[in-house]
């Protein structure tokens, strides 16, 4: 069953974040991940949420998502992201069709 990484990214250093943004897709692809949405316009329909840059990545399953997130390849990129953004990330397991 598919799993989704949903991130709300508040970029604090755009130049450093650009390095992260350019390198991360290749690491996700190795684990079967692909973008469903990233960085598009948002509209809050209910509540007091003020999203920044939203990203949704689909993985084949939660095991693949977790393997990517915990991988040495992504660990290096996480350290870059920690320096240039404040991020809220959740993993959501999909429902069978």
């Amino acid at each position: 069953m598919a799993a989704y990484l949903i991130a709300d990214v508040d970029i604090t250093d755009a130049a450093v974040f650009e390095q992260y943004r350019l390198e991360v897709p290749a690491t996700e692809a190795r684990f079967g991940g692909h973008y469903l949405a990233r960085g598009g316009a948002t509209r809050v329909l209910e509540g007091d949420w003020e999203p920044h840059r939203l990203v949704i990545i689909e993985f084949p399953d939660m095991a693949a998502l977790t393997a990517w997130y915990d991988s040495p390849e992504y660990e290096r990129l996480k350290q870059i992201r920690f320096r240039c953004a404040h991020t809220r990330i959740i993993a959501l397991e999909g429902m069978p069709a």
Side-chain angles (χ1 to χ4, degrees):
M1 147 178 5
Y4 304 90
L5 180 133
I6 303 169
D8 181 6
V9 184
D10 183 9
I11 300 167
T12 57
D13 185 330
V16 175
F17 187 81
E18 184 65 10
Q19 177 187 355
Y20 170 85
R21 189 188 68 74
L22 291 173
E23 292 187 47
V24 76
T27 67
E28 296 160 351
R30 285 195 284 280
F31 292 87
H34 66 276
Y35 289 98
L36 297 179
R38 67 176 172 173
T42 60
R43 179 177 164 210
V44 176
L45 300 176
E46 292 186 23
D48 59 2
W49 187 18
E50 294 183 31
H52 299 90
R53 183 179 200 277
L54 291 181
V55 178
I56 303 173
I57 307 167
E58 181 179 42
F59 287 87
D61 52 37
M62 190 63 79
L65 186 159
T66 303
W68 165 74
Y69 187 81
D70 293 336
S71 71
E73 301 96 329
Y74 187 57
E75 181 60 34
R76 181 182 70 78
L77 295 175
K78 276 193 279 193
Q79 296 308 313
I80 293 170
R81 181 172 47 80
F82 293 156
R83 292 194 322 261
C84 65
H86 301 288
T87 310
R88 292 178 187 90
I89 298 175
I90 63 166
L92 171 67
E93 194 166 59
M95 300 288 292

